[in-house]
Amino acid sequence: MAILLQGIGVSRGTAIGPARVLRRGDLEIAEYVLPARLVHEEVARYRFALNTAREQLREIRRSIPKSAPRDIAAFIDTYLLMLDDTMFTEAPVEIIRRRQCNAEWALKMQRDALVRVFDEMDDEYLRTRRDDIDHLVHSILRTLAGQPAVHEPESEHGSAVTGHIVVATDLTPAETVLLFHQGITGIVTEGGGPTAHTAILARSLQIPAVMGVPLAVRLLADDETVVVDGEDGRIWAGLDTAALAVFEERRREAAHRRAALARTREAPSRTRDGVTVTLRANIELPEDLDRIAEVGATGVGLYRTEFLYMNRRDPPDEEEQYATYAEVVRRLAGAPLTIRTLDLGADKGGAAATNPALGLRGIRLCLHEPGLFVPQLRAILRAAALGPVRIMLPMVSTVAEVRQTRRLVEQTAAALAREGLAHDPRPPIGIMVEVPGAALHAAALAREADFMSLGTNDLIQYTLAIDRIDESVSYLYDPLHPAVLRLVHHVIDVGRRLDVPVAMCGEMAGDPRLTPLLLGMGLTEFSMLTTTLLEVKDVITHSDYAHLAAEVDALLACDDADAYYTRLEQFLRPLTGA
Ligand code: PEP
Ligand code: MG
């Protein structure tokens, strides 16, 4: 019987292959008291297991190829540091001695004590650390039990997972790296989400992955053929040969299409009637830069810097940020870099907010906490001395926020000048238009900003009152809602009238089905993940700008809902290929 499971697609691509279900389960832990004379030996046994766990991690570290993203090694270094901490080197030993108990029991007591402390703290970073501790405890317990590591190769004929789609409750980053080197073709996990370490890694390593799939470990069986759609977050199992052949064919077609599109990398991005459209990349990690050249993007239209701040206790200091931004500028070799200043929510910046999406986030948080903002501004201004850099402010809703930021940038530049540090005192400062009030107020904001960029992910969320991460209302999250399109059109129009460049960097910009609609609205600068850039360019080169503009005008003039959707359907029909 065929089954379809739904999760969250966190890394694009389709994988088809046999499943390998990793059943970790909870290890049976014997709990017993020892005679005093054996305590010394038990301590030695624990230390030996700890060393073995350490050695296994070092082995993983050594197996990372030089070309792999730096953060992979950093994850493993963090684990190694944790294993060297007294929480593992001393505390369990102390418990063994004090309670005269076996090593497993002592380690379990220590683990429970640590987890209790983390559970009391409402902090995403610590929750991640809690999972890390569990992973390390399990690996020590495994060696204590004389068990091999979960993913050790089974024979010289290759690993048990080679060519398989791995299904697990959760995977740690270290395990993901090891599995990648053993040749897995896809990942399905019950836990995790798009911002989990493992999801970020899967994207970096280009392994199709779906996370947050309830009961995956129970519902999928070893060696049954599964299909993983890392885009839509779907997993199929139990398909018959005919259905599998359809997916296989689709995957082959996608690969052919990608190869054909790759050849258009150097072609100009121009409509049939000669309008040039700028295509830029959205990046989150410096590693994403590799793909910019592959798709021929004109620099970066959105660099989400908050990724630098995630999964760590202390924010990166000025020097670390400067080194990171400087590397990105250098690697772009003269192409523009748009650095979006920190877009963290109030829940991560200090006091918990009742509604983080409407709270102290984005530019509000930055202006509220200069201690957080100024080091970032200093790092950006310094990196801007090395190449063309623009500053982009997230979540702007008032003119005052832009003016206040400009003053802060001026003061920061003056301080850098006094200190004799090389910098660009006046990089262009633009704003994200992602609050409906800002879109309606675009004319006033455009007079303060050097450029604007439509953040449609949030603009849709706020316009339609749909929490963008709440599954239960996702059916209402509609980029084609007339209210959304009117706001988008209004902002593009204002930009044209006032001669302020308007781009779009929300997900809509990277959806090739929407490209003609956006062109028709007058959008000539798109910024998106590199994965769809060539598809968007393909649509552009087959479009007629003037013709689309007339169609969009007629569409947006419709007040009647039926007329609007009929026209929209006609408008989109050729794009969806229906
Ligand atoms: C957006 O809101 O459209 C956007 C690009 O920013 P983010 O998705 O990072 O909120
Ligand atoms: Mg946003």
Side-chain angles (χ1 to χ4, degrees), residues 282 302 304 306 340 343 361 432 434 454-459 468 505-507:
N282 288 358
L302 167 65
R304 289 185 166 100
E306 54 278 6
R340 181 175 73 182
D343 188 14
R361 64 167 277 200
M432 299 269 302
E434 50 187 346
L454 284 150
T456 48
N457 306 342
D458 278 315
L459 187 63
R468 69 192 245 198
C505 61
E507 293 305 302

Side-chain angles (χ1 to χ4, degrees), residues 377 381 389-393 401-402 405-410 425-431 445 448-452 500:
L377 289 178
L381 294 184
V389 168
R390 315 191 298 172
I391 297 178
M392 183 158 77
L393 315 178
E401 287 164 336
V402 189
T405 307
R406 272 199 193 280
R407 271 199 302 278
L408 202 55
V409 169
E410 279 161 22
R426 266 178 295 279
I429 299 177
I431 60 166
L445 287 166
E448 308 288 328
D450 297 314
F451 62 95
M452 303 197 282
V500 175

Side-chain angles (χ1 to χ4, degrees), residues 229-247:
D229 180 340
E231 173 119 45
D232 295 338
R234 296 200 183 121
I235 322 285
W236 287 267
L239 294 178
D240 58 24
T241 344
L244 280 175
V246 172
F247 278 107

Side-chain angles (χ1 to χ4, degrees), residues 24 79 131-139 142 172 174-175:
R24 241 185 288 262
Y79 279 1
D131 294 344
D132 295 340
I133 288 208
D134 265 347
H135 168 72
L136 294 173
V137 166
H138 270 85
S139 62
R142 268 196 307 273
T172 65
E175 287 168 332

